[in-house]
Amino acid sequence: ENGRVVGVRLGTGEELRAGEVIVCGGTLGTAELLASAGVVGSVLPFYEHREVVVRYRARTVVTAAPAILPTVAHTAEGAEIRCYADDFGRFIPGVPQTSPTVGVVEMEPEQAGALTWDGQRLDVEAAPMGCVDGAIDSVVEALSSSEMDGLVVDGSVHVDPIVGASQHAWGSLAMGERTDWLGALDGVPGLRVIDGSILPNVRSGPHATIMMAAIVIADALCSLAMARMPYAPITKAEPPFGSFAW
């Protein structure tokens, strides 16, 4: 309305008006919502932690582990090695059990993927995975070594040909590029985004970082509202209290 977001329209057609609208749909959900509404372009960049898993057969079947990922290790090349303690099928209903795995993840992707809205659905095209061959070879060598004879069935170690993802999508509306440090979308007054979309860089699982950013932004907005101060968007993400450690 007059170039400003003033509310939301529900699927029922009902309209809810508000001084501001805050979108928290997750990187993919927010992209789909805003692109379908014509608020952002039909193509947005995004980043993801791509993962290759090394599978093997265990000599004994273990009881269900209390946590799927109790520990990780990092390599000098920026890869993360995930020592999964159990099969994902034991933790996620409907997912078939396969075999134990060790994941090798590219934690510092150099290329962005693309989120493309075609008018009906959001197409998600992740960027090709960077080179983590050294880490993969190390995992295969370790699982195939004599030290693992009592745990791993001989000849069962193999690299899954399918490159997966960590469900860590971020960066489609990054701070300092498309949003300011309080999540305000550049050129769209009355609209903020507070989810993984606004993270400029992620070198670990983003879940805690997203929660931290949401708390910081909420506190700042409350302070501004209580002080009845006019809010001028900051085009480059420079919080007055210092920079975030992503």
Side-chain angles (χ1 to χ4, degrees), residues 56-68 70 84-88 90-91 97 99-101 150-152:
Y56 62 94
R57 291 204 318 274
R59 289 192 178 278
T60 58
V61 178
V62 298
T63 56
I68 188 66
Y84 293 115
D86 209 334
D87 193 306
F88 274 87
R90 292 191 179 185
F91 286 81
Q97 293 189 32
S99 66
T101 61
L151 300 174
V152 178

Side-chain angles (χ1 to χ4, degrees), residues 7-38:
V8 296
R9 182 179 295 115
L10 305 182
T12 60
E14 180 184 1
E15 293 187 355
L16 303 177
R17 298 179 70 85
E20 288 192 351
V21 173
I22 298 177
V23 179
C24 310
T27 299
L28 305 187
T30 291
E32 182 173 8
L33 176 64
L34 298 185
S36 65

Side-chain angles (χ1 to χ4, degrees), residues 171-184 193-195 197-201 213-214 217 234-239 244 246:
S172 55
L173 299 167
M175 287 182 178
E177 297 177 13
R178 299 296 304 276
T179 52
D180 69 11
W181 75 276
L182 292 182
V193 176
I194 305 178
D195 57 28
S197 310
I198 67 175
L199 300 186
N201 197 1
I217 292 172
I234 303 172
T235 56
K236 296 298 181 182
E238 290 294 339
F244 289 126
W246 302 104

